[in-house]
């Protein structure tokens, strides 16, 4: 079981990305991911942070990455774990879970 907290960062925006019309909003994806991770990895600490790409706040690396999402026309939300992009546009739980498992998380 993992005792080291990993931060999952979800970069998104209030407005849906133009290519993501039928998908949930970035905020809905953030809430869905948070609930799914808590269910899959109970009693294992994790931190999930939402960063609005148009009004980013936080550490400089988060500000820089938010700018990169806009400049590179990435599909958002973009999900990042330990500086690795694990989801873009419509993130897959299987991919997010696999990355967390690489960091010592044990799923149920």
């Amino acid at each position: 079981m993992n005792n080291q907290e990993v931060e999952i960062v979800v970069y998104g925006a209030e407005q849906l990305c133009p290519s993501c019309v039928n998908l949930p909003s970035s905020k809905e994806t953030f809430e869905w991911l948070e609930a799914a991770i808590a269910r899959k990895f109970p009693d294992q600490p994790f931190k999930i942070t939402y960063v609005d790409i148009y009004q980013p706040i936080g550490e400089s690396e988060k500000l820089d990455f938010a700018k990169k999402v806009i400049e590179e026309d990435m599909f958002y939300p973009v999900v990042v774990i330990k500086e690795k992009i694990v989801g873009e546009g419509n993130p897959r739980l299987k991919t997010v879970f696999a990355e967390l498992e690489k960091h010592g998380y044990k799923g149920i």
Side-chain angles (χ1 to χ4, degrees), residues 15-101:
Q15 173 186 347
L16 287 177
C17 107
S19 303
C20 308
V21 175
N22 295 320
L23 298 175
S25 72
S26 297
K27 205 67 160 156
E28 289 169 330
T29 300
F30 166 80
E31 291 165 356
W32 167 74
L33 264 177
E34 185 174 33
I37 293 167
R39 275 194 309 274
K40 177 77 175 177
F41 304 103
D43 304 320
Q44 295 171 75
F46 70 93
K47 177 181 179 183
I48 185 162
T49 306
Y50 179 79
V51 177
D52 186 311
I53 59 174
Y54 294 109
Q55 299 173 341
I57 54 171
E59 301 93 15
S60 63
E61 67 265 6
K62 288 187 176 90
L63 303 179
D64 292 343
F65 194 86
K67 198 163 129 185
K68 180 179 173 180
V69 171
I70 296 168
E71 288 172 353
E72 295 184 8
D73 277 334
M74 298 171 97
F75 295 127
Y76 51 84
V78 178
V79 181
V80 178
I81 298 173
K82 296 256 189 183
E83 298 171 22
K84 180 178 180 187
I85 296 172
V86 294
E88 195 179 331
N90 187 16
R92 302 273 178 245
L93 279 178
K94 189 174 181 179
T95 309
V96 174
F97 290 166
E99 188 61 27
L100 287 169
E101 287 167 353

